[in-house]
């Protein structure tokens, strides 16, 4: 596995477009097609929203190449979640439906990190 990019971001809705653009660039770099790239961007966005809803104010993203792209998103700077978000179930379902090898890590009952993979040509 070859590391491509790691970055830390503050979690707010204004940064999501920038992260989507960055994710699209990484997908292009590793040779994912347009559909896989779009699915990957959705998964990154939904993962960040899940971590925001879990009470994190920041996140660390890591992109690595391995016959596609492996992505790990970890929550950082925890503050108690403000409210319950019913759409979190939809976000989790989207991740499971679109990405491969989805791993949601929890500590003390709360989501702390999400890892998933997109292979070239769906392999």
């Amino acid at each position: 596995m070859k590391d491509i990019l790691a970055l830390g971001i503050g979690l707010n809705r204004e940064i999501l477009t920038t992260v989507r653009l960055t994710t699209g660039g990484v997908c292009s770099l590793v040779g994912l097609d347009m559909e896989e790239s779009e699915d990957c961007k959705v998964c990154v966005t939904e993962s960040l929203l899940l971590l925001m809803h879990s009470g994190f104010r920041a996140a660390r993203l890591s992109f690595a190449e391995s016959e596609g792209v492996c992505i790990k998103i970890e929550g950082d700077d925890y503050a108690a979640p403000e409210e319950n978000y019913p759409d979190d179930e939809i976000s989790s379902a989207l991740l499971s439906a679109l990405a491969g090898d989805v791993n949601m890590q929890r500590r003390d009952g709360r989501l702390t990190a999400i890892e998933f993979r997109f292979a070239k040509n769906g392999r």
Side-chain angles (χ1 to χ4, degrees), residues 36-121:
E36 293 162 337
S37 178
E38 289 301 318
D39 288 348
C40 186
K41 290 189 287 187
V42 167
C43 288
V44 167
T45 302
E46 294 299 327
S47 296
L48 292 171
L49 289 171
L50 283 168
L51 289 170
M52 282 174 61
H53 297 165
S54 292
F56 290 99
R57 293 185 280 198
R60 291 182 311 273
L61 292 88
S62 301
F63 298 87
E65 183 176 12
S66 178
E67 296 183 29
V69 65
C70 296
I71 300 168
K72 182 172 185 176
I73 304 170
E74 299 175 277
D76 197 17
D77 193 17
Y78 180 74
E82 294 179 9
E83 55 185 274
N84 188 11
Y85 292 89
D87 292 343
D88 287 353
E89 289 181 28
I90 294 170
S91 294
S92 295
L94 270 171
L95 281 166
S96 296
L98 297 176
D101 303 326
V102 177
N103 179 16
M104 294 191 180
Q105 299 171 12
R106 297 182 183 279
R107 187 176 40 231
D108 300 326
R110 78 172 182 268
L111 182 66
T112 58
I114 302 167
E115 293 180 73
F116 54 89
R117 178 176 186 275
F118 277 85
K120 292 180 194 175
N121 302 316

Side-chain angles (χ1 to χ4, degrees), residues 19-29 37 41:
V19 175
R20 284 181 62 85
L21 290 168
T22 302
T23 301
V26 170
C27 290
S28 177
L29 182 68
S37 178
K41 290 189 287 187

